[in-house]
Amino acid sequence: MRYQASRTRERQFSAWAITTVASAALLLQAGGQVLAAGSALSDDPIPMVTEAEVRKHQEENSGPAPLIAGDHHSSELSTDAVPIIAEDEEPEPTPPIFQRGEKFLASGNLAPGIELPTGAIWQPALWVFGDARTAIGHYANGIDDPRQFWASRIDIFANLKLTPTERILIGFSPLTEKRRNTGILYTDEGGVEYVNGLNPYVTTLFFEGEFGEIFPNLDPDDNRNFDFGFSIGRQPLFFQEGMMINDSVDALGITRDTIVIPGLTPDLRATGVFGWNNIRRGDNELDDSAFLLGLFTEADFRKSTANLDLAYVISDEDEGGDGFYFGASAVQRFGLYNTAFRINTSTAIEKRGPAVDNGVLMFSEVSRTVTASENVVYANAFWAIGNYTSAARDSLTGGPLGQVGILFAAPAVGLGGSALSNRADSVFGGSIGHQMFFNEDKTQLVLELGGRKDTDGSDAGVVAFGGQLLHALNNRSSIQVDGFVSAGQDRKAGTGLRMELRTRF
């Protein structure tokens, strides 16, 4: 009987060890990211393993069995004690350019704070931060006049932190206005010209908080439904990975989190949004007459995270009036592969135009971490039926296909454009790429091949190959080099090269 019991414990331990090693391997292959798309928990109880059984297994086995034949790497945890790092030996966080009150990411005791009549305790801290970016480059897409440029951009923010859930954020971009970064542009047709993007406008200004944390005296036992988060002011809105909405809008948003539906989902989040100003439509142009209404939901399931989003824009714009928008997505992991599938629709209610049109955009993403490395390979595909337009898009974000890859993404600074058009107008295509990390992750290189082909008979097909090299110079500064070559129907060969220096402060 003792022999059978011992063998039973050994089998239990082996099952536990294999499960643990497999889970660790999957996490390592995911690049250390915690994926919201799935769960490794089992509904079946796992027997507890005692320390004596662990020591016995280690004594009977010279080393853990490899998970895969030929794999010499072990995922078994070390039994050696790791000394506690003294506080004075901890690496210093890189501070923002200005801070008052509680330090950013600092250790130590918390200040007593200020108690409000509502029962909330505020511990004010002011952090000023941002980044400065300058880029030089050449851009020729094979259609428009080639251009050479030097452009700069500065984004600066002041964050007044009141509590971990309440804050006021204000931001400026003094060198950027509409689609222009301040700089110098040269074209054969226009010669040398100064591009003026100087402006004094506030690009971000909002307050966000949680009702239950601002008025804790209303629910001292924290057992009532007062957990509503909200934000009001000029704030960034980003839904469906920016395909439906990617803009900074004057809006009020209210969120209810941790909605439990027994038997369906342990966590449902619902956000209602009303936007009344600073709305740019699908053509990236400001529409002063527009109002935005939206309901955005996200639910966690056992093996997937799903989003269901609805938006309606009311407008008197001549280039396109009212529009209805729908988006659905599912993000999950299948074995070693991270996947995301999205479908978005836009419907012009009254009149069609550049601001709103009828269309459907289907999009898929598949990626995985290369075995025994942190490198990532990916493949993205899309199919736009009709002319899909976003509900709201910032001036510098381009079209809704920027998520497809680096060849489709609109540069954040510069006076050029993307290697491949990011507009979703009767077209299909995709990209495949490889992201590699070097130099203790201080350097990364992305190589990508992409293309798009029209479905309306316009003969606008094009393919491109490009790369992006990003290297960290220090804790604050980095240098980035982008380049591409392209060829297509009814166009010349395209080329592009851009070098950017970015400093965070």
Side-chain angles (χ1 to χ4, degrees):
M1 292 294 295
R2 276 186 298 215
Y3 172 80
Q4 292 178 347
S6 175
R7 296 298 296 172
T8 300
R9 286 195 298 270
E10 185 173 330
R11 285 195 296 270
Q12 291 173 347
F13 178 86
S14 299
W16 171 83
I18 291 174
T19 302
T20 303
V21 171
S23 300
L26 288 176
L27 287 175
L28 289 173
Q29 289 172 343
Q33 298 177 352
V34 179
L35 302 176
S39 172
L41 297 179
S42 171
D43 294 329
D44 299 326
I46 298 177
M48 296 291 291
V49 180
T50 66
E51 293 185 11
E53 289 174 320
V54 173
R55 286 194 296 269
K56 181 179 179 181
H57 174 79
Q58 292 174 337
E59 292 172 357
E60 294 177 351
N61 297 273
S62 57
L67 185 63
I68 302 174
D71 185 3
H72 301 293
H73 298 281
S74 171
S75 297
E76 184 175 286
L77 297 177
S78 173
T79 56
D80 299 331
V82 178
I84 298 176
I85 300 177
E87 187 172 326
D88 57 356
E89 296 177 350
E90 294 181 357
E92 289 290 333
T94 303
I97 189 173
F98 178 87
Q99 55 183 345
R100 284 293 182 270
E102 179 184 333
K103 305 300 181 183
F104 178 69
L105 294 180
S107 59
N109 297 326
L110 296 176
I114 304 169
E115 184 172 357
L116 304 184
T118 62
I121 297 178
W122 284 7
Q123 299 162 313
L126 178 62
W127 303 329
V128 179
F129 61 94
D131 62 4
R133 310 170 70 169
T134 185
I136 59 173
H138 156 82
Y139 175 76
N141 61 4
I143 300 177
D144 302 321
D145 194 14
R147 55 182 57 196
Q148 290 76 43
F149 59 85
W150 173 33
S152 299
R153 171 175 182 164
I154 293 177
D155 299 289
I156 185 168
F157 300 91
N159 184 88
L160 178 59
K161 172 185 171 294
L162 304 172
T163 74
T165 55
E166 280 72 47
R167 67 166 176 160
I168 299 173
L169 181 69
I170 184 171
F172 303 88
S173 297
L175 300 183
T176 302
E177 184 178 15
K178 295 183 178 179
R179 303 186 187 185
R180 303 190 301 269
N181 291 309
T182 300
I184 299 174
L185 174 66
Y186 172 80
T187 60
D188 293 337
E189 181 179 334
V192 178
E193 62 177 297
Y194 169 68
V195 179
N196 184 7
L198 298 175
N199 75 88
Y201 306 125
V202 174
T203 56
T204 304
L205 177 58
F206 66 88
F207 171 81
E208 68 176 352
E210 185 175 283
F211 186 83
E213 296 296 329
I214 297 176
F215 300 95
N217 286 343
L218 297 178
D219 185 17
D221 297 327
D222 199 21
N223 55 13
R224 303 171 69 181
N225 294 325
F226 288 158
D227 296 329
F228 285 89
F230 68 93
S231 60
I232 184 170
R234 183 162 297 179
Q235 55 192 296
L237 300 182
F238 191 83
F239 294 103
Q240 289 293 328
E241 288 299 304
M243 296 178 188
M244 175 183 280
I245 297 178
N246 186 4
D247 198 6
S248 182
V249 177
D250 294 343
L252 168 66
I254 300 177
T255 298
R256 181 67 171 94
D257 203 349
T258 61
I259 302 173
V260 178
I261 303 179
L264 180 63
T265 174
D267 188 12
L268 171 68
R269 296 169 289 282
T271 299
V273 174
F274 169 64
W276 64 85
N277 187 38
N278 204 51
I279 300 171
R280 296 162 186 82
R281 305 297 298 279
D283 56 357
N284 306 100
E285 295 294 337
L286 183 64
D287 185 349
D288 291 325
S289 67
F291 293 89
L292 172 67
L293 299 171
L295 177 62
F296 310 96
T297 65
E298 182 176 78
D300 293 329
F301 300 101
R302 179 174 176 79
K303 294 184 178 181
S304 181
T305 295
N307 294 80
L308 186 64
D309 302 325
L310 304 171
Y312 193 94
V313 176
I314 305 171
S315 171
D316 297 327
E317 175 63 40
D318 293 335
E319 298 296 327
D322 291 10
F324 174 74
Y325 307 85
F326 167 82
S329 65
V331 181
Q332 55 279 308
R333 185 177 177 90
F334 296 123
L336 301 177
Y337 295 91
N338 310 305
T339 63
F341 305 103
R342 305 182 186 278
I343 181 170
N344 285 269
T345 69
S346 62
T347 304
I349 302 301
E350 299 171 342
K351 41 194 173 181
R352 299 169 57 184
V356 57
D357 209 334
N358 298 329
V360 178
L361 175 59
M362 292 177 283
F363 181 73
S364 67
E365 297 174 285
V366 180
S367 67
R368 65 157 292 179
T369 304
V370 179
T371 303
S373 76
E374 296 182 352
N375 299 342
V376 176
V377 292
Y378 60 89
N380 303 327
F382 64 88
W383 182 16
I385 303 172
N387 297 324
Y388 173 77
T389 53
S390 300
R393 297 204 67 79
D394 187 75
S395 299
L396 289 175
T397 59
L401 295 180
Q403 183 69 15
V404 177
I406 61 173
L407 294 171
F408 293 83
V413 58
L415 298 173
S418 56
L420 297 172
S421 172
N422 43 41
R423 295 293 171 182
D425 43 0
S426 300
V427 66
F428 71 93
S431 67
I432 55 174
H434 189 183
Q435 182 181 26
M436 296 162 279
F437 297 89
F438 310 95
N439 191 24
E440 297 180 342
D441 294 344
K442 295 179 181 178
T443 305
Q444 62 172 284
L445 172 65
V446 180
L447 298 177
E448 184 176 283
L449 175 66
R452 50 178 286 145
K453 180 67 176 75
D454 61 278
T455 58
D456 59 1
S458 60
D459 293 332
V462 59
V463 295
F465 175 78
Q468 181 182 94
L469 177 67
L470 178 62
H471 175 70
L473 301 174
N474 51 44
N475 287 349
R476 294 186 182 273
S477 299
S478 62
I479 188 169
Q480 179 177 318
V481 179
D482 302 273
F484 74 88
V485 293
S486 65
Q489 299 172 290
D490 295 333
R491 67 174 67 197
K492 299 177 182 178
T495 57
L497 183 64
R498 188 181 74 97
M499 182 172 67
E500 174 187 334
L501 176 65
R502 182 175 186 177
T503 300
R504 299 164 180 83
F505 53 81

